Amino acid sequence: IMSRACTGHLEDNISECDFIFIALYPQATVDYLEKNAGNIKQDALVADCCGVKRTICERCFALAQEYGFHFIGAHPMAGIQYSGFKYSRADMFDGAIMLIVPHPAEDMAVIGRLNDVLKTAGFASVTTTSAEEHDRMIAFTSQLAHIVSNAYVKSPAAERHHRFSAGSYRDLTRVAKLSEDMWSELFIQNADNLVFEIDGIIASLFEYRDAIKAGEKDKLRDLLRDGREKKEAIDTEWKQ
């Protein structure tokens, strides 16, 4: 939370704040803004930090318009698998990407104000998107990965993995250490996009399983080659 003079409890000084960043769970974010919107000064800039955007932006855009401040949805692409203030780090956002979702009619000067603040926090770049596109992409890049990691570690073999595992196990299970309270809320609020991604990976896994079970080496090679070439093509595109 940033302002010219915000000290003590935020609620006592909220009317003085030029910038307000709300770092709460999705529903708590909406509840907080509904409770305090009337005390936010005109033209102040409010941003959230939630991993979903449609439900957040729909309500918070309306509150901003009603009370005369600016709201921009935000989602920092940085974090660790642990929850709680004790795991905070001063360099958490160094070199990271911030996704922002401004109202379609938002003034570019206001977006510029937010960009300036984000740079001081260490963000390397800011990507502007819509709430719909954000939720579609995050279902794949983040939420599906957490689902797969959390499900993967439930294998009975995981209990005996020591001395049998290296980087692959470590990389795939890192985000299994999630906060079930936060992530269940995020998953439910993005259910349509996340279910689409889960259905897609289930279908792909069935292809691999069926080829292995039937001993179809050529089919399996094709599947593996397709995945490798897809990964290589994506990496090459991003390097250009």
Side-chain angles (χ1 to χ4, degrees), residues 2-225:
M2 301 181 60
S3 79
R4 295 191 184 93
C6 277
T7 58
H9 296 291
L10 175 60
E11 284 75 12
D12 296 334
N13 300 277
I14 195 169
S15 62
E16 302 173 32
C17 293
D18 300 309
F19 297 89
I20 301 171
F21 291 87
I22 306 174
L24 298 169
Y25 290 3
Q27 187 56 52
T29 293
V30 173
D31 292 344
Y32 180 87
L33 199 56
E34 287 180 337
K35 177 183 176 182
N36 293 283
N39 296 321
I40 298 173
K41 72 177 182 179
Q42 297 283 305
D43 290 327
L45 200 162
V46 181
D48 75 306
C49 300
C50 294
V52 290
K53 283 286 153 282
R54 286 176 296 174
T55 54
I56 294 290
C57 289
E58 181 181 10
R59 181 58 182 142
C60 293
F61 283 155
L63 288 168
Q65 184 176 16
E66 180 179 356
Y67 290 97
F69 58 87
H70 303 276
F71 178 84
I72 296 180
H75 184 187
M77 293 288 94
I80 57 176
Q81 65 270 32
Y82 304 109
S83 300
F85 185 77
K86 66 180 179 179
Y87 295 110
S88 59
R89 298 202 317 259
D91 62 350
M92 179 75 75
F93 304 128
D94 288 356
I97 298 170
M98 175 67 94
L99 302 178
I100 64 169
V101 180
H103 189 279
E106 187 58 86
D107 190 330
M108 289 301 297
V110 174
I111 298 173
R113 285 168 52 197
L114 178 59
N115 287 347
D116 290 342
V117 171
L118 294 175
K119 287 179 182 178
T120 66
F123 287 96
S125 64
V126 178
T127 298
T128 302
T129 185
S130 67
E132 292 73 21
E133 179 67 4
H134 171 278
D135 287 1
R136 276 194 299 270
M137 292 305 299
I138 289 301
F140 170 70
T141 62
S142 177
Q143 295 182 347
L144 179 64
H146 283 77
I147 290 283
V148 170
S149 180
N150 196 263
Y152 172 78
V153 80
K154 292 178 180 179
S155 168
E159 300 173 8
R160 306 187 304 277
H161 83 277
H162 297 290
R163 296 194 179 94
F164 290 88
S165 61
S168 297
Y169 175 86
R170 182 180 62 249
D171 293 345
L172 190 51
T173 60
R174 181 180 68 83
V175 294
K177 297 178 182 180
L178 48 69
S179 166
E180 59 271 19
D181 293 329
M182 181 182 75
W183 283 99
S184 59
E185 186 173 343
L186 292 170
F187 293 159
I188 294 299
Q189 291 202 13
N190 199 26
D192 54 346
N193 291 311
L194 183 53
V195 168
F196 175 83
E197 294 296 341
I198 292 173
D199 286 345
I201 198 169
I202 287 173
S204 291
L205 287 172
F206 270 117
E207 289 188 292
Y208 288 95
R209 187 206 65 174
D210 291 348
I212 293 168
K213 186 175 182 179
E216 297 178 346
K217 185 177 179 180
D218 289 342
K219 174 63 173 177
L220 181 59
R221 283 171 54 86
D222 288 344
L223 291 170
L224 294 171
R225 184 186 65 249

